[in-house]
Amino acid sequence: MIVVKVGGSLYDHPRLGPGLRAHLDSLAPAEVWLVPGGGDVVEAVRTLDRVHALGDDACHALAVRGMELAGEFLHELIGFGSDRVSFPALDLCAVPHSWDVTSDSIAARIARDHSAERLVLLKSVDVPAGVPWAAAAENGWVDRYFPTVIAGAAFPVEVVNFRRVLDALP
């Protein structure tokens, strides 16, 4: 099984649907679990928290619900469902309730908990090969908790600047 996290920063790209379908097809015959980034929905929760000081537990619950909404969007966008592509339950993932945790760490935790073959992060940034995860977190390429979750993982992590891939599509 492969866990694929789709960054919310990609949701505004007009070629996301066909590009994501092609990427998922390229992973066949592996089972794929898609983890949606929160995108603008979770950014709205961050704004509400800054204004109203909602607290970590409330924000975490709202952010996970935002990710679930984004998952429904991705399901509609890719236009297919199969036994091979599914969306894991996000609310059961044991991670700290903090803005240090994003969909990157949630995807990594799901990959660890379910013995994934690999983790693929589809993002809008490049993460140079060989950069330690702590340095990637310091640069904002992954969240601050990601290095903790991924430490000692038995699977490889692949980061793809999927925006660049989408930009290159006809």
Side-chain angles (χ1 to χ4, degrees), residues 23-67:
H23 186 74
L24 295 172
D25 287 345
S26 77
L27 300 175
E31 177 186 2
V32 175
W33 286 14
L34 278 180
V35 176
D40 289 341
V41 175
V42 173
E43 288 307 313
V45 174
R46 283 183 197 269
T47 299
L48 293 171
D49 184 38
R50 279 192 298 274
V51 172
H52 301 288
L54 299 171
D56 289 341
D57 290 339
C59 287
H60 180 78
L62 290 169
V64 167
R65 288 175 63 191
M67 289 173 62

Side-chain angles (χ1 to χ4, degrees), residues 20-21 24-25 75-82 84-85 87:
L20 186 54
R21 282 191 297 276
L24 295 172
D25 287 345
H75 186 267
E76 292 296 323
L77 186 68
I78 60 177
F80 66 87
S82 72
R84 201 177 64 74
V85 178
F87 294 83

Side-chain angles (χ1 to χ4, degrees), residues 12 25 42 49 54 56 98 103 119 122 125 136 145 150 153 165:
D12 67 346
D25 287 345
V42 173
D49 184 38
L54 299 171
D56 289 341
S98 161
S103 55
L119 171 61
L122 303 179
V125 298
Y145 189 67
I150 211 67
V165 171

